[in-house]
Amino acid sequence: MFNYFADLASRQLDGATLTREEALAILESADDQLLDLVAAAARLRRTHFANTVKVNYLVNLKSGLCPEDCTYCSQRLGSAAQILKYTWLKPEEAVAQAANGIRAGASRVCLVASGKGPSDRDVDRVAGMVGNLKEQYPAVEVCACLGILKEGQAQRLEASGADAYNHNLNTSEENYADICSTHTFAERVQTVEYAKEAGLSPCSGLIVGMGESNNDLIDAVFALRALGSDSIPVNFLMPFDGTPLEGTWLLTPAQCLRILALVRFACPDTELRMAGGREMHLRTLQPLALHVANSLFLGDYLTSEGQAGDDDLAMIADNGFVVLGSELSRQHDSARQDPAHQDRDDVGPSVFSRVTIRRRGAGTAVAPNA
């Protein structure tokens, strides 16, 4: 019996480029085709990334009080979300927070700060943190995410030892004005170009579930393909109370899988990360999504909690994958004896029906989720 998605995967492996018609077929596929779609996408994933999963760890260097008006963001101008708000972490605290993720298996640390973009002083501050991290953990990749860059700033980050720069396109160019009015899609593209010109690996992705159409999704994914993003994080909208998109629940677990499959077919050899919101939107299909995506964030996000880090690592091992860069694949059969991992009755896919505000890790005195 002819299998459309298996045939599509074979054509991709032979060097074909995904077309708009094929992309629509992925997004509009029926529920009874879902396993065929995942199996076909998994062939591409296994060909390029074998059974490895890249583990990334976020450190929120500066939280909240952003002057931009991005509708999806809990840190936006005018947000009433009750998130942690703090100014720059001290360099030693930033490195200590990063070390928690590294010890848990992260091979990339993402240093993130709220705001439209960094001043030159901010860039120097983060460059110092990058240098300290690289001195202590030379094998670990460091990705900076500081907003819209000015010319020359990416070079300063690269010189400090940074490996990558993240700046997401988030949605299509046509849809961009509907989610933000304080900067443009073109400014985001230019920032990614600055990163590439400086020799930084470009990391740029999406936020889905904001009311975009299938055509918007395809436009955004094809724009990322044209931009040459080395890593594509797919975020699933977390509709924080107190933001314009509060109460927006437009995704199903199956549609989340289709979106991940679209990215895999469009960019077969690109790192694909199932990122923020995976717990509440993929829910029990997270393990299945690992057969499409080859990367995830461990533990918590910028302003919300994720599932327990030990559960992430157990999910990787239980599905026959290994953490990229680990010397030994460890089975996490029991949580470590750490207060941050005990009495966690609120952790698990079944309870992620609302956003849990982050109250641990960077900016607090509570142990992080790693």
Side-chain angles (χ1 to χ4, degrees):
M1 180 183 294
F2 178 74
N3 183 316
Y4 176 83
F5 296 116
D7 181 69
L8 184 59
S10 294
R11 282 184 274 132
Q12 293 295 104
L13 290 171
D14 288 338
T17 299
L18 191 74
T19 67
R20 178 171 290 272
E21 180 183 12
E22 292 163 344
L24 276 172
I26 291 170
L27 291 177
E28 295 175 355
S29 57
D31 286 347
D32 62 6
Q33 295 177 292
L34 190 62
L35 289 181
D36 286 341
L37 175 62
V38 170
R43 280 180 61 200
L44 302 177
R45 182 239 193 274
R46 289 271 180 172
T47 296
H48 295 289
F49 300 100
N51 68 332
T52 62
V53 175
K54 187 170 187 174
V55 172
N56 306 262
Y57 189 71
L58 286 164
V59 179
N60 195 357
L61 301 176
K62 179 166 72 79
S63 182
L65 307 174
C66 181
E68 302 300 283
D69 68 356
C70 307
T71 57
Y72 53 82
C73 186
S74 62
Q75 304 183 77
R76 73 187 297 273
L77 178 70
S79 171
Q82 298 302 300
I83 62 169
L84 288 168
K85 299 181 178 69
Y86 51 86
T87 189
W88 290 96
L89 295 183
K90 295 179 179 179
E92 59 271 21
E93 172 63 9
V95 172
Q97 290 293 331
N100 289 308
I102 294 167
R103 284 193 294 269
S107 59
R108 173 175 284 193
V109 170
C110 305
L111 302 178
V112 187
S114 63
K116 180 171 185 175
S119 66
D120 289 341
R121 181 181 178 186
D122 293 335
V123 170
D124 287 342
R125 184 199 313 266
V126 175
M129 296 176 184
V130 172
N132 289 340
L133 257 177
K134 282 292 193 177
E135 184 177 349
Q136 296 183 43
Y137 303 98
V140 172
E141 296 177 355
V142 179
C143 179
C145 178
L146 310 176
I148 294 170
L149 294 177
K150 295 188 283 289
E151 193 169 2
Q153 291 181 326
Q155 282 82 354
R156 176 72 183 95
L157 291 168
E158 194 278 336
S160 73
D163 300 281
Y165 194 83
N166 167 261
H167 199 58
N168 295 330
L169 297 188
N170 290 329
T171 190
S172 68
E173 184 172 12
E174 182 176 349
N175 193 47
Y176 201 81
D178 290 340
I179 65 167
C180 182
S181 70
T182 48
H183 60 265
T184 65
F185 185 87
E187 287 178 279
R188 287 188 169 265
V189 171
Q190 181 61 73
T191 288
V192 179
E193 293 290 0
Y194 281 150
K196 289 168 60 179
E197 291 167 7
L200 294 170
S201 175
C203 173
S204 188
L206 305 168
I207 303 174
V208 301
M210 299 187 291
E212 67 280 344
S213 68
N214 281 347
N215 278 318
D216 286 323
L217 274 172
I218 294 167
D219 286 345
V221 171
F222 283 8
L224 291 168
R225 181 174 68 184
L227 198 56
S229 183
D230 290 336
S231 177
I232 300 179
V234 176
N235 296 278
F236 308 94
L237 177 70
M238 292 188 276
F240 284 87
D241 291 347
T243 65
L245 294 180
E246 173 184 343
T248 301
W249 297 95
L250 302 175
L251 298 169
T252 65
Q255 194 62 16
C256 293
L257 280 178
R258 294 184 186 98
I259 292 166
L260 290 172
L262 166 62
V263 179
R264 175 58 69 209
F265 273 95
C267 307
D269 60 352
T270 298
E271 178 191 342
L272 171 56
R273 189 177 314 153
M274 54 179 196
R278 61 181 165 89
E279 298 90 344
M280 64 175 60
H281 289 293
L282 279 162
R283 301 197 286 274
T284 57
L285 296 191
Q286 282 191 86
L288 195 58
L290 272 182
H291 292 268
V292 181
N294 65 294
S295 177
L296 52 68
F297 283 118
L298 178 76
D300 294 338
Y301 304 106
L302 297 177
T303 62
S304 64
E305 293 185 357
Q307 68 186 26
D310 282 316
D311 290 346
D312 285 337
L313 296 171
M315 177 175 68
I316 291 169
D318 289 349
N319 283 273
F321 296 104
V322 296
V323 172
L324 182 67
S326 63
E327 293 293 326
L328 179 67
S329 177
R330 295 173 295 159
Q331 294 289 339
H332 288 254
D333 295 324
S334 60
R336 287 166 289 166
Q337 297 304 305
D338 184 295
H341 298 275
Q342 296 177 9
D343 300 322
R344 293 284 295 154
D345 292 335
D346 60 330
V347 170
S350 64
V351 303
F352 279 100
S353 58
R354 59 185 296 273
V355 179
T356 303
I357 301 295
R358 181 174 67 82
R359 304 291 185 199
R360 58 194 177 194
T364 77
V366 181
N369 180 13

